[in-house]
Amino acid sequence: FWISQIQLNYGSEAAPYQHRSYAEELALCQRYCWRVKPSTTDNFTRFALGQAIAATTCASIVTFPVEMHKIPTLTTPAASQFGHTVAAGSVNACSSIALSGNGRSTQTVAIDTVTTGLAAGNASALLANGNTTAYLQFEAEL
């Protein structure tokens, strides 16, 4: 059997059928959960750009592909799976990663990370520290 173009409705009355494109459906889903992960061939995928605010702390900004349903929470694996560029070709592992207390909205969030070897005021990139299983997952559940 091949079954397509069906729609389930909650309640006692059927609503008119609504066909959505893949892009529309993806955008609606991304309002609730968005995961950023490295490609399988690039162990040093850049997650976000930021600025060192001290020798051991960096603030990075992540912009979502679509506006989230509400301000999201952040889920990550171990902080050591992430790193920051500290000099050309050099990456230092992070010891903590968390959403910043400031700079949260449904369109962007700031991420605070702790590492070593930074110079306050310098630009830095938050990277997968040679690990293809690193990810940032933003969730805005109902």
Side-chain angles (χ1 to χ4, degrees):
F1 288 100
W2 180 266
I3 299 173
S4 65
Q5 297 183 346
I6 63 169
Q7 175 176 299
L8 299 176
N9 293 290
Y10 180 77
S12 59
E13 294 190 25
Y17 179 74
Q18 297 174 328
H19 174 70
R20 294 186 189 130
S21 70
Y22 176 80
E24 289 173 303
E25 200 65 44
L26 178 61
L28 289 171
C29 291
Q30 285 177 329
R31 294 185 64 225
Y32 298 96
C33 184
W34 183 57
R35 181 181 270 207
V36 186
K37 60 182 184 166
S39 69
T40 56
T41 58
D42 184 3
N43 293 342
F44 293 98
T45 295
R46 184 182 318 137
F47 288 106
L49 295 177
Q51 182 177 20
I53 54 177
T56 59
T57 307
C58 189
S60 303
I61 302 295
V62 173
T63 302
F64 304 122
V66 297
E67 185 169 0
M68 300 294 278
H69 168 68
K70 66 180 186 178
I71 296 173
T73 59
L74 173 64
T75 304
T76 67
S80 61
Q81 291 190 13
F82 300 90
H84 271 283
T85 55
V86 292
S90 177
V91 177
N92 284 6
C94 293
S95 59
S96 77
I97 183 169
L99 286 179
S100 172
N102 299 319
R104 293 185 198 186
S105 77
T106 56
Q107 297 174 327
T108 61
V109 291
I111 297 176
D112 289 338
T113 50
V114 175
T115 188
T116 59
L118 299 172
N122 284 0
S124 183
L126 177 60
L127 307 169
N129 190 17
N131 191 324
T132 57
T133 61
Y135 64 86
L136 299 175
Q137 182 166 304
F138 300 94
E139 297 177 44
E141 296 290 328
L142 293 174

